[in-house]
Amino acid sequence: MSRRRQIYEGKAKILYEGPEPGTLIQYFKDDATAFNAEKKGTINGKGVINNRVSEYVFTRLAHIGIPTHFIRRLNMREQLVRQAEIIPIEVVVRNVAAGSICKRLGLEEGEPLPHTLLEYYYKDDALGDPLIAEEHIACFGWASNEEMQDIAAMAIRVNDFLCGMFANANIRLIDFKLEFGRIYDGDFSRVILADEISPDGCRLWDMDTNEKLDKDRFRRDLGGEEEAYQEVARRLGVLQNDDGGPGEVLDLSAHRKLRASPPPKKK
Ligand code: ADP
Ligand code: MG
């Protein structure tokens, strides 16, 4: 494979220059971090699964009219995306209380929220991605009011779609994180969904047992994170090694101790 220019190495992915202007290649690593990168480790096969899951989710979102950066998957760990100017805001969509909101507001983990909640965090590792209000976004010009309206509307649509998609796989979508970017067309810009949607940035619980099927297994040293990621992919029906190309072979022989329900019905 020809050498490509690396543009950025993040915590979970590497970005390379794409084959055409305005494109990038996202390479998904097995590296895992938590608590603002205080905790570091690897989850074997995570990159392969996140690449697949994100491809699947972004493709389905495109089908319902959500504009995304995803172009196509290139191989087991890489996908081609449109280069965007990332808006420095992490949008967190919450359906059920878990994670930082429990600590902040004294909520019990697993408490359903009165309604879906959108939260905004300023994307800055050095500051630990602090929670911000829309007033901060307007005040510092991180996004325009128009952009924020688009972002909020898309986040709610994505949530509605994903809740149904995961429910069909017997998974409850507790919360998840989204990133958005701008793409320019002359003087005009529009907002598209960027980054990834995978068990790294979602809380996913088994519908029947509430077993965690996401990065909380790593955060809390619960073990079985590889199996959990595989289980999510399997239930979504995206675990087929149909690449044909060289590269890694998915180890499907892993034990199935996390399997708590039958495979999802297709469609
Ligand atoms: P981080 O450690 O910053 O979270 P990641 O390991 O997740 O980084 O790597 C992905 C990086 O690429 C993120 O900083 C993300 O904002 C950025 N990114 C995601 N999608 C795009 C895109 N379409 N164009 C430009 N940058 C992107
Ligand atoms: Mg990231």
Side-chain angles (χ1 to χ4, degrees):
M1 198 169 270
S2 60
R3 279 293 100 211
R4 297 161 309 197
R5 201 160 69 85
Q6 182 176 315
I7 290 181
Y8 175 81
E9 174 154 11
K11 299 183 292 290
K13 300 185 283 304
I14 303 172
L15 299 182
Y16 296 98
E17 202 170 63
E20 287 153 44
T23 64
L24 290 175
I25 294 166
Q26 271 196 324
Y27 174 96
F28 289 74
K29 303 191 283 184
D30 285 347
D31 297 357
T33 60
F35 311 119
N36 196 28
E38 264 171 50
K39 177 172 177 157
K40 290 195 175 80
T42 57
I43 301 174
N44 279 330
K46 172 173 86 79
V48 174
I49 287 174
N50 285 359
N51 185 25
R52 287 282 185 148
V53 169
S54 205
E55 169 195 23
Y56 178 72
V57 173
F58 276 56
T59 302
R60 297 205 55 187
L61 289 172
H63 286 157
I64 63 157
I66 304 282
T68 87
H69 73 162
F70 182 79
I71 301 172
R72 65 191 157 86
R73 186 169 57 81
L74 297 171
N75 54 50
M76 295 287 270
R77 284 186 185 269
E78 294 176 328
Q79 52 179 240
L80 184 66
V81 300
R82 290 189 71 167
Q83 181 163 28
E85 181 181 284
I86 292 293
I87 294 170
I89 297 166
E90 298 199 341
V91 180
V92 172
V93 185
R94 298 183 183 276
N95 298 303
V96 173
S100 65
I101 197 172
C102 291
K103 224 190 222 162
R104 189 174 301 117
L105 301 179
L107 303 177
E108 193 79 47
E109 182 181 76
E111 242 180 85
L113 297 169
H115 61 74
T116 298
L117 193 59
L118 291 187
E119 290 181 336
Y120 303 108
Y121 294 82
Y122 183 49
K123 196 173 143 53
D124 186 321
D125 283 339
L127 298 175
D129 297 339
L131 177 69
I132 51 173
E134 285 199 72
E135 282 74 9
H136 296 94
I137 298 170
C139 182
F140 297 108
W142 292 322
S144 71
N145 287 335
E146 256 185 335
E147 287 173 332
M148 288 312 294
Q149 281 185 14
D150 288 349
I151 285 172
M154 278 195 257
I156 294 294
R157 279 197 80 204
V158 170
N159 183 54
D160 286 345
F161 183 81
L162 291 187
C163 279
M165 188 194 80
F166 281 118
N168 198 42
N170 212 44
I171 291 170
R172 181 174 297 129
L173 180 58
I174 304 301
D175 58 37
F176 61 98
K177 189 250 329 187
L178 296 175
E179 289 185 29
F180 294 89
R182 291 180 193 100
I183 51 170
Y184 289 90
D185 182 5
D187 285 345
F188 295 97
S189 75
R190 61 191 185 102
V191 175
I192 63 172
L193 186 61
D195 207 47
E196 68 180 298
I197 297 181
S198 72
D200 266 13
C202 300
R203 282 196 175 83
L204 303 169
W205 294 2
D206 180 88
M207 199 73 91
D208 301 320
T209 65
N210 284 338
E211 188 160 31
K212 293 176 182 6
L213 299 172
D214 55 58
K215 208 168 83 175
D216 270 350
R217 300 203 75 84
F218 168 76
R219 287 191 189 96
R220 301 187 182 188
D221 294 317
L222 298 177
E225 45 270 60
E226 291 159 34
E227 291 81 5
Y229 278 64
Q230 286 193 17
E231 181 64 13
V232 171
R234 188 190 67 81
R235 289 197 201 177
L236 293 175
V238 301
L239 251 193
Q240 298 109 21
N241 185 22
D242 56 2
D243 267 48
E248 299 145 274
V249 177
L250 266 185
D251 179 13
L252 299 180
S253 64
H255 59 107
R256 290 285 185 218
K257 74 174 164 43
L258 287 160
R259 181 182 290 178
S261 50
K265 314 138 226 116
K266 286 247 86 178
K267 292 273 139 57

